[in-house]
């Protein structure tokens, strides 16, 4: 879509420049290429930065050329002065566009009101058409976000299945591929949700951003749980009880709503832990200690989802675990 919009904006800018009789209409097309962006709000911000930076650069270059003359080394002097200033005031997106305008002014070999007006006219035409095409259409991200959500939830379910398997069979070996895939899906989802938000004409909180941020926070808990499960070197009764919790989580992680069933099971499990006899050996103590810390992290994992859900509106709850 961006390529198509870039081609359309370039063509429109060149023809517009021809119609108004502007000098160097191809320059308007080049400026249009520089102005087309991936999201609506990035397009608006970048076009503003490029227009402002170009006008500032044009003024500075006109002053340098008028005082010193049209020598090639003056272009280097312009860069040394203009680029740090533009970067300091948050206009670094416009340094290339400004350089294009300044180099074009240098090629003319004179600083006149007409020449400066022509450069500003080209800026308005090229960046104007880029802005129109930026605002005109942006592809919807909903299907891609839903696919990433499914991939993330399936990844969590597979991880929980592996953890339950290890608790029941400590000799089993797991390479962690599901962990890597789920983590990659979460990061893709965060980036795509941000892009979807920037494509709104009126920016607002994006439910998908909260969803994938929640999953990222839960992934931190899962990594900690993996470390604790790794300490379980032999099967113990308490491990079987926690394995059942992971079995339940495999279902809950794909649920539309946070129902709290796993949390109720966890409460019962912790009560049972408190009533057990003390471990008889050091190995049993270490295993029990790891399992106890595992239950604590499970509670944090569940708390992340419930806490985020409480902050969401009814419309947002439909996608929050």
């Amino acid at each position: 879509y961006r390529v198509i919009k870039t081609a359309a904006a370039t063509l429109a800018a060149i023809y517009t420049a021809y119609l108004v009789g502007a000098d160097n209409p191809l320059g308007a097309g080049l400026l249009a290429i520089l102005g087309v962006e991936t999201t609506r709000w990035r397009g608006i911000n970048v076009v503003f930065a490029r227009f402002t930076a170009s006008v500032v650069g044009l003024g500075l270059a006109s002053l340098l050329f008028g005082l010193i003359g049209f020598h090639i080394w003056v272009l280097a002097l312009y860069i040394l002065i203009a680029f740090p200033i533009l970067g300091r005031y948050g206009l670094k997106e416009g340094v290339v566009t400004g350089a294009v305008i300044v180099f074009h002014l240098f090629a003319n070999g004179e600083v006149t009101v007409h020449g400066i007006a022509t450069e500003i006219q080209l800026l308005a035409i090229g960046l104007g058409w880029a802005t129109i095409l930026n605002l005109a259409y942006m592809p919807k991200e909903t299907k891609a976000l839903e696919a990433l959500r499914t991939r993330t939830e399936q990844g969590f379910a597979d991880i929980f299945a592996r953890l339950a398997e290890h608790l029941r069979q400590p000799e089993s070996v797991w390479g962690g591929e599901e962990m890597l895939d789920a983590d990659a899906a979460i990061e893709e989802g965060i980036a795509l949700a941000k892009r979807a938000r920037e494509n709104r004409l009126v920016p607002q909180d994006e439910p998908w951003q909260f969803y994938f941020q929640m999953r990222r926070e839960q992934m931190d808990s899962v990594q900690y749980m993996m470390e604790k499960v790794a300490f379980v070197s032999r099967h113990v009764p308490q491990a079987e009880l926690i394995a059942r919790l992971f079995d339940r989580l495999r279902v809950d992680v794909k649920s539309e709503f946070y129902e709290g069933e796993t949390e109720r099971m966890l409460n019962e499990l912790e009560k049972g832990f408190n009533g057990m006899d003390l471990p008889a050996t050091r190995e049993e103590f270490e295993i029990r200690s790891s399992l106890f810390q595992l239950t604590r992290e499970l509670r944090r994992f569940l708390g992340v989802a419930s806490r985020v859900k409480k902050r969401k509106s009814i419309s947002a709850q439909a996608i929050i675990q």
Side-chain angles (χ1 to χ4, degrees), residues 70-242:
F70 287 83
H71 308 288
I72 292 179
W73 62 267
V74 178
L75 293 175
L77 180 61
Y78 163 79
I79 292 173
L80 290 172
I81 297 173
F83 283 22
I85 293 175
L86 296 176
R88 173 68 178 80
Y89 290 97
L91 299 173
K92 63 181 181 179
E93 293 281 2
V95 295
V96 175
T97 310
V100 170
I101 293 296
V102 169
F103 279 42
H104 184 226
L105 181 65
F106 180 85
N108 290 337
E110 60 178 350
V111 176
T112 63
V113 173
H114 174 73
I116 294 175
T118 297
E119 301 304 330
I120 294 177
Q121 185 181 46
L122 292 176
L123 276 171
I125 293 172
L127 297 180
W129 273 111
T131 301
I132 291 172
L133 269 295
N134 282 335
L135 296 175
Y137 175 74
M138 287 290 178
K140 301 295 182 182
E141 312 287 0
T142 305
K143 289 185 178 180
L145 287 166
E146 289 175 348
L148 286 170
R149 174 192 173 180
T150 300
R151 181 178 155 194
T152 299
E153 292 174 352
Q154 185 58 52
F156 272 94
D158 293 341
I159 292 169
F160 294 143
R162 291 289 193 172
L163 293 178
E165 179 185 359
H166 183 83
L167 288 172
R168 293 185 173 109
Q169 302 175 10
E171 69 279 1
S172 62
V173 179
W174 174 37
E177 297 84 0
E178 296 86 350
M179 190 83 174
L180 297 175
D181 186 64
D183 190 60
I186 291 170
E187 295 305 317
E188 288 179 36
I190 290 173
L192 197 58
K194 180 181 178 182
R195 194 164 72 193
R197 181 181 184 275
E198 291 181 352
N199 272 330
R200 294 177 180 269
L201 288 176
V202 181
Q204 55 185 308
D205 289 339
E206 177 62 51
W208 287 107
Q209 284 185 297
F210 287 99
Y211 174 81
F212 285 107
Q213 288 290 351
M214 176 194 73
R215 292 305 187 193
R216 176 192 271 175
E217 194 172 345
Q218 287 182 322
M219 183 59 73
D220 293 338
S221 288
V222 170
Q223 291 174 344
Y224 184 80
M225 285 189 273
M226 287 176 59
E227 295 175 7
K228 297 307 171 184
V229 168
F231 279 101
V232 181
S233 57
R234 64 183 177 86
H235 186 267
V236 294
Q238 299 88 344
E240 174 60 33
L241 298 176
I242 297 178

Side-chain angles (χ1 to χ4, degrees), residues 19 66 88 176 268 296:
L19 289 174
R88 173 68 178 80
E268 293 299 321
R296 294 296 187 186

Side-chain angles (χ1 to χ4, degrees), residues 246-272:
F246 284 125
D247 290 338
R248 176 67 194 188
L249 275 176
R250 291 175 59 190
V251 178
D252 286 353
V253 78
K254 298 180 181 181
S255 174
E256 287 289 329
F257 301 99
Y258 180 81
E259 299 175 357
E261 178 59 29
T262 305
E263 189 170 0
R264 288 190 287 271
M265 293 175 62
L266 183 58
N267 290 336
E268 293 299 321
L269 178 62
E270 288 180 339
K271 290 179 182 178

Side-chain angles (χ1 to χ4, degrees), residues 277-290:
D277 295 332
L278 294 174
T281 64
R282 179 182 179 84
E283 182 186 20
E284 185 181 355
F285 172 79
E286 291 176 346
I287 293 175
R288 289 265 293 272
S289 175
S290 295

